[in-house]
């Protein structure tokens, strides 16, 4: 009787009253399914109350809502605690790129491997998403973040540097030859030093491009990076000595000069990072520049790990740059 009355009355109830009803029922654990469905599929001010507060929404109800929900609804669903894998897959089928941070920031769920691959691909050029993924310590590996290095904050970059150092140690243990220390052209180094004093970013990027083989436009980005960690690693890979490296670091960034503490931190990083790991990252950047960018395709999977359906035809996957040795959960 209650369900029949509610189904009829909700259609003619004022918005503020429907919000009040949703607020009262959100704490109730046995809301009839038809009433729950009516409130969830109501306009956003009503349904958002249930999505935010109700703990009794079933997996089937969430899946049904996900199939037709607006972007705002999808973000609220993504933020709910303890989402089931099927709901996560359904969300990734419909949620927009600007809604992915809501899912990445939900630490109450463990993202499936296929969802992680999709989100990591989507995080390239998306600092907000990349940094949220870097904060996930349980399901995102350090090596997963290597291609996102430029979009990460200091904490995420430390995870990547640690992964590179472990990879370098494993290469050493496998008796792979140590890379030869680069011997940059002294004339180019002297020109670089003068360009630093003149704050000539174009000349600095051109010379560093000659020394590293990276694109000059990419070097401009490294020189302007506020954190400075990519530049320190690039200078190490180029074989620049400490004195010139310090000068380049000092006259880089978005300000006229970096402050003492930033310079010290970046010089310490330059001296700490090994040549082998610096070359691994620069080779990665060099290889990434040669690949064509593609749109990531999410392939939903069942709970047993098998694809629900074949990948969309025609979505070719470009080759990945220099493969990294597998590093799993080796953290200090």
């Amino acid at each position: 009787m209650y369900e029949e009355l509610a189904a009829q009355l909700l259609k003619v109830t004022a918005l503020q009253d429907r919000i009040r009803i949703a607020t009262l029922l959100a704490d109730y654990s046995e809301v009839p399914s038809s009433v729950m469905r009516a409130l969830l599929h109501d306009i956003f001010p009503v349904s958002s109350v249930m999505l935010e507060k109700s703990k009794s929404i079933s997996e089937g109800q969430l899946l049904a809502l996900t199939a037709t929900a607006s972007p705002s609804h999808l973000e609220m669903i993504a933020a709910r605690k303890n989402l089931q894998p099927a709901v996560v897959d359904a969300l990734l089928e419909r949620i927009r790129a600007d809604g992915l941070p809501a899912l990445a920031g939900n630490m109450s769920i463990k993202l499936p491997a296929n969802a992680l691959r999709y989100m990591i691909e989507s995080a390239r050029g998306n600092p907000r998403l990349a940094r949220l993924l870097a904060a996930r310590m349980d399901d995102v590996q350090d090596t997963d973040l290597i291609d996102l290095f430029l979009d990460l904050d200091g904490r995420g970059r430390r995870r990547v540097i640690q992964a590179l150092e472990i990879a370098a140690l494993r290469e050493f243990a496998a008796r792979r030859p140590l890379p030869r220390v680069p011997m940059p052209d002294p004339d180019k180094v002297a020109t670089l030093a003068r360009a630093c004093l003149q704050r000539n970013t174009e000349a600095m990027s051109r010379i560093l491009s000659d020394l590293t083989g990276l694109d000059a436009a990419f070097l401009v980005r490294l020189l302007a990076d506020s954190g400075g960690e990519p530049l320190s690693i690039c200078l190490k890979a180029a074989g620049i000595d400490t004195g010139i490296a310090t000068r380049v670091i000092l006259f880089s960034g978005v300000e006229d000069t970096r402050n003492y503490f930033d310079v010290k931190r970046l010089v310490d990083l330059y001296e700490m990072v090994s040549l082998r790991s610096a070359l691994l990252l620069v080779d990665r950047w060099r290889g990434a520049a040669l690949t064509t960018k593609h749109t990531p395709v999410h392939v939903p999977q069942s709970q047993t790990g098998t694809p629900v359906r074949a990948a969309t035809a025609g979505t070719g996957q470009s080759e990945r740059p220099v493969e990294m040795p597998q590093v799993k959960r080796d953290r200090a």
Side-chain angles (χ1 to χ4, degrees), residues 197-219:
L197 293 176
Q198 298 167 358
R199 193 59 193 261
N200 188 338
T201 302
E202 182 180 352
M204 292 166 68
S205 63
R206 186 174 61 252
I207 296 166
L208 287 173
S209 176
D210 291 340
L211 296 175
T212 60
L214 293 170
D215 185 70
F218 183 80
L219 267 303

Side-chain angles (χ1 to χ4, degrees), residues 233-248:
I233 293 173
C234 182
L235 293 170
K236 185 62 172 270
I240 304 294
D241 65 64
T242 305
I244 301 299
T246 302
R247 183 178 293 184
V248 175

Side-chain angles (χ1 to χ4, degrees), residues 121-140:
E121 289 289 327
S122 300
R124 297 186 184 186
N126 186 341
R128 182 186 175 202
L129 179 57
R131 293 169 187 182
L132 285 169
L133 289 172
R136 301 185 67 91
M137 303 299 291
D138 293 333
D139 46 17
V140 176

Side-chain angles (χ1 to χ4, degrees), residues 87-303:
V87 178
V88 174
D89 267 333
L91 279 170
L92 288 171
E93 282 288 287
R94 296 204 63 240
I95 200 166
R96 300 187 311 192
D98 57 2
L100 289 176
L103 191 60
N106 189 344
M107 301 299 176
S108 67
I109 60 176
K110 185 172 182 180
L111 294 171
N114 61 313
L116 272 177
R117 287 193 298 271
Y118 171 77
M119 295 180 75
I120 289 169
E121 289 289 327
S122 300
R124 297 186 184 186
N126 186 341
R128 182 186 175 202
L129 179 57
R131 293 169 187 182
L132 285 169
L133 289 172
R136 301 185 67 91
M137 303 299 291
D138 293 333
D139 46 17
V140 176
Q141 302 295 327
D142 295 345
T143 49
D144 294 334
L145 302 171
I146 292 176
D147 290 334
L148 307 180
F149 188 81
L150 298 177
D151 297 310
L152 298 174
D153 55 12
R155 179 184 178 186
R157 287 174 175 181
R158 286 193 293 272
R159 288 187 63 181
V160 172
I161 292 168
Q162 180 172 267
L164 290 168
E165 290 297 334
I166 293 171
L169 286 174
R170 291 188 172 182
E171 286 202 346
F172 174 76
R175 299 181 181 276
R176 293 190 178 93
L178 182 69
R180 295 180 59 184
V181 178
M183 297 295 291
D185 186 336
D187 292 335
K188 290 183 178 179
V189 173
T191 304
L192 177 62
R194 291 193 298 272
C196 291
L197 293 176
Q198 298 167 358
R199 193 59 193 261
N200 188 338
T201 302
E202 182 180 352
M204 292 166 68
S205 63
R206 186 174 61 252
I207 296 166
L208 287 173
S209 176
D210 291 340
L211 296 175
T212 60
L214 293 170
D215 185 70
F218 183 80
L219 267 303
V220 170
R221 180 181 178 185
L222 296 196
L223 288 166
D225 186 272
S226 58
E229 296 91 348
L231 180 60
S232 291
I233 293 173
C234 182
L235 293 170
K236 185 62 172 270
I240 304 294
D241 65 64
T242 305
I244 301 299
T246 302
R247 183 178 293 184
V248 175
I249 290 169
L250 177 64
F251 291 99
S252 63
V254 293
E255 303 294 337
D256 287 340
T257 57
R258 294 186 189 270
N259 63 49
Y260 167 79
F261 297 101
D262 282 341
V263 172
K264 184 179 187 306
R265 171 178 61 84
L266 294 173
V267 172
D268 288 345
L269 172 62
Y270 166 88
E271 294 179 340
M272 176 273 294
V273 71
S274 68
L275 175 63
R276 192 190 293 267
S277 61
L279 289 173
L280 283 173
L281 185 56
V282 171
D283 284 346
R284 192 88 169 191
W285 290 337
R286 196 179 294 118
L290 300 177
T291 60
T292 54
K293 188 175 181 180
H294 63 279
T295 302
V297 177
H298 170 65
V299 181
Q301 296 185 355
S302 67
Q303 290 185 336

